[in-house]
Amino acid sequence: MPEIEVVEDIMSVNDRLAAQIQGQMDAAGVLGLNVMASPGGGKTSITRRTIEALKDEVRVGYMDGDVVEIDAQHIARLGVPTTLINTGGDCHLDANKVNLALPRMDLSAIDLLVVENVGNLICPAAWRIGAHLNVVIASVPEGSDKPYKYPAMFRGAHVLILNKIDLLPYIDFDLDYFRHGIEVLNPGLEFFPVSAKTGEGFDAWLDWLRAQVAVKKAAVSA
Amino acid sequence: MHEMGITQNLLNIALDHAQRADAVRINSLTIVVGELSSIVDDSVQFYWDFVSQGTIAEKAQLKFKRIPATMRCAGCGQTAPLDRQTYTCPVCGGSSLTVASGDEFFLESIDVDLADSSPVPGSKETSHARD
């Protein structure tokens, strides 16, 4: 009974397809965001506010991994191209689902593709979808222990948004404990505390995002 | 429930390597799972019997090697288990840590039976599979 050494990442098939998707976006000069959060963390609210602020200077496309079109309709009203990736109740997006939806999005007509993942802090962490940046949103009412409970999600993040900071005076949220968890799991992670309701903190996030979009565009025209 | 898709990937990788080795049966798989990966090995086991049905990996045993989450402390230089509640160093109490292990998730090896008959000379199929 011979033992065959394999040593292959179990996500490799998905990851190879994700790399292809990223290659398509690179070629078109499009920056891809994979937006992940718990249900109700503010994925759609932050996306909406971000698009409203940037839509005159950045051409945005939006893909929504969901079972109903509620979020996609909210975003479509902003006049940006949207498409629903019907997850049929699945707990996460994967590269295959995004790849199937990609032909419905004209990459030559956008600079930024926002993919809103399924509301879940566990499953989406394991699956790359071809986006350049994993944007994780945590929110104040969820509590400050999220980095301790869902380490994989925070380790894989490229940027972290803490939403609903307007609620900090009303909720026992230990910001130091939260930040410590992030610092251990993901040292130097970009961190933007914001309120999608009041707009507080958005300037810093938008400036950072503008710069990322510009870098991606410059890379293709160079 | 993302383990369903993961288990399918696991099966595909195992079958691919088994085929390349001309194996006729997969007896067991050794899977390395870090404590910080978001993988529940019981769920993988649960889906395994279903996805492996009708393949040469049917009824293969899944062996999980669990890798604990560990940290390295910048204060005292020690490597120790990660305290999941506080993320502080259990040796010196320091809070400047980096994660040293726990993210692992890969198929390490498979135990197989090889075809005991020697390849039929000139068999196109056999020579192809050994490429």
Side-chain angles (χ1 to χ4, degrees), chain A residues 1-10 12 90-92 122-123 127 147-148 151-152 155 177 180-181 185, chain B residues 1-2 6 9-10 13 17 21 27 36 38 84-87 95 99 103 106-114:
Chain A
M1 294 196 186
E3 184 99 349
I4 301 174
E5 190 178 304
V6 177
V7 194
E8 184 164 340
D9 191 304
I10 293 167
S12 58
D90 262 5
C91 53
H92 62 276
I122 299 177
C123 311
W127 302 85
Y148 301 81
R155 275 182 75 65
Y177 182 62
H180 173 67
L185 292 175
Chain B
M1 68 173 268
H2 63 307
I6 284 171
N9 282 2
L10 178 68
I13 294 168
H17 283 265
N27 300 307
L36 298 178
S38 56
R84 297 284 303 275
Q85 305 285 322
T86 66
Y87 292 171
S95 59
V99 175
D103 296 319
F106 60 92
L107 178 59
E108 186 179 70
S109 62
I110 53 177
D111 181 285
V112 299
D113 289 343
L114 298 177

Side-chain angles (χ1 to χ4, degrees), chain A residues 14-127:
Chain A
N14 179 74
D15 291 352
R16 277 196 290 273
L17 183 56
Q20 280 178 32
I21 295 169
Q22 201 172 96
Q24 287 182 51
M25 284 199 267
D26 284 338
V30 173
L31 180 75
L33 304 184
N34 177 10
V35 180
M36 294 175 279
S38 314
K43 293 181 297 297
T44 311
S45 307
I46 286 178
T47 299
R48 185 158 47 178
R49 196 157 192 133
T50 300
I51 291 173
E52 279 169 352
L54 294 181
K55 68 176 179 179
D56 292 336
E57 47 184 309
V58 177
R59 299 172 303 161
V60 186
Y62 172 79
M63 271 187 193
D64 180 28
D66 218 325
V67 286
V68 289
E69 286 201 355
I70 296 172
D71 293 345
Q73 283 172 357
H74 279 308
I75 300 297
R77 274 184 216 116
L78 302 174
V80 302
T82 66
T83 186
L84 179 76
I85 308 173
N86 198 319
T87 54
D90 262 5
C91 53
H92 62 276
L93 292 179
D94 58 22
N96 187 45
K97 291 195 198 84
V98 171
N99 194 46
L100 291 172
L102 213 53
R104 299 199 296 271
M105 183 63 62
D106 180 3
L107 291 180
S108 69
I110 60 172
D111 310 307
L112 174 67
L113 179 62
V114 178
V115 183
E116 183 173 326
N117 214 312
V118 181
N120 182 335
L121 285 179
I122 299 177
C123 311
W127 302 85

Side-chain angles (χ1 to χ4, degrees), chain A residues 47 54 72 84 100 107 121 124 142 146 166 178 184 186 213:
Chain A
T47 299
L54 294 181
L84 179 76
L100 291 172
L107 291 180
L121 285 179
E142 294 169 56
K146 285 292 166 291
D166 51 303
F178 182 80
V184 167
N186 200 332
V213 171

